[in-house]
Amino acid sequence: MTAMDVLRRASALVLVAMTSTLAPAPLSAEAATASAQLVSTGPAVPTSGALFGANTPLGRMGSTTRDASRTAWEDAVGRPAAVHRLYYQWDEVFPTDYEYGLRDMGQTPILSWGVSTYQYAIVPFADIAAGKQDATIDARAADIKAYGSPVYLIFDHEPEGTYGGTPAEFVAAWKHIHDRFAAAGATNVSWVLTLTAAHYGTDAEAWYPGDAYVDLLAADGYNWYGCPGRNDPWKTFAAVFTEFHTYGVAKGKPLLIAEW
């Protein structure tokens, strides 16, 4: 197996600083106000270049532990990860000992927190916004605060496809979670809105919680050419991500390619 094979089989990601040959649009009045209000001490983004990492699930390349999976991936690509993507369902407990190990190695976790439970039931956005899940939210806020180091947090990546509810209900749920984290003092979080890349050219604004509630924008975008069971045409990187890039530059937010 070559290093490129490993890259193709991992959900690799790149955290990109806001550098562009395009002239960034001026921040909106809301963004300017929000920038003065934010108290987050979440991860810093690079002023140039990018942070590189992956999701390396258990079993990758025959590994029997998460640590072995990550190490095998890093050995194959010839460099350590700077960021590490992890996926959790609504009722799972995190951060775990694994995230503490990442912290001690100087790696930053990107935590995806979905609205599907461990039994694959969907927790509606409306229930979250109405306070019916506050015990779960407060527990995660307390655990992330206790973690004591910066993390990226994605609430329900690709909400367009999770059946949790409408865009307006998603925005209300996002704001409710964000506000409870802030009230709990869990300010070591950077909040990352993650939509599929195609939606940045259509209805991204409907899913956007607002400048004061989003620290980074992320996209999941795929070139499915040659994948088993599909007959998709080849798509360039630019074809997949240009609309996302344009939207992010206009918002003045750092950009994260969360899946590709």
Side-chain angles (χ1 to χ4, degrees), residues 10-15 43 51-58 60 65-74 79-88 96 98-103 105-112 147 150-154 256 258:
S11 292
L13 49 93
V14 184
L15 180 65
L51 301 176
F52 182 69
N55 168 251
T56 55
L58 183 65
R60 181 80 66 194
T65 68
R66 270 181 159 179
D67 286 316
S69 178
R70 184 196 67 255
T71 300
W73 182 84
E74 290 178 332
R79 60 181 294 174
V83 289
H84 196 87
R85 180 87 181 267
L86 296 137
Y87 297 84
Y88 288 103
T96 67
Y98 184 74
E99 281 83 28
Y100 277 88
L102 294 177
R103 180 196 66 182
M105 291 185 295
Q107 297 187 11
T108 302
I110 300 177
L111 305 172
S112 282
Y147 182 71
V151 302
Y152 297 100
L153 183 61
I154 300 170
L256 171 68

Side-chain angles (χ1 to χ4, degrees), residues 128-164:
I128 294 171
K132 296 179 181 179
Q133 294 290 325
D134 283 356
T136 297
I137 296 167
D138 294 347
R140 295 291 69 72
D143 287 346
I144 288 178
K145 178 183 179 181
Y147 182 71
S149 288
V151 302
Y152 297 100
L153 183 61
I154 300 170
F155 167 59
D156 201 43
H157 75 284
E158 301 180 21
E160 319 95 309
T162 59
Y163 308 106

Side-chain angles (χ1 to χ4, degrees), residues 233-246:
W234 177 267
K235 296 181 73 173
T236 66
F237 183 91
V240 175
F241 289 110
T242 290
E243 290 174 329
F244 162 60
H245 178 265
T246 300

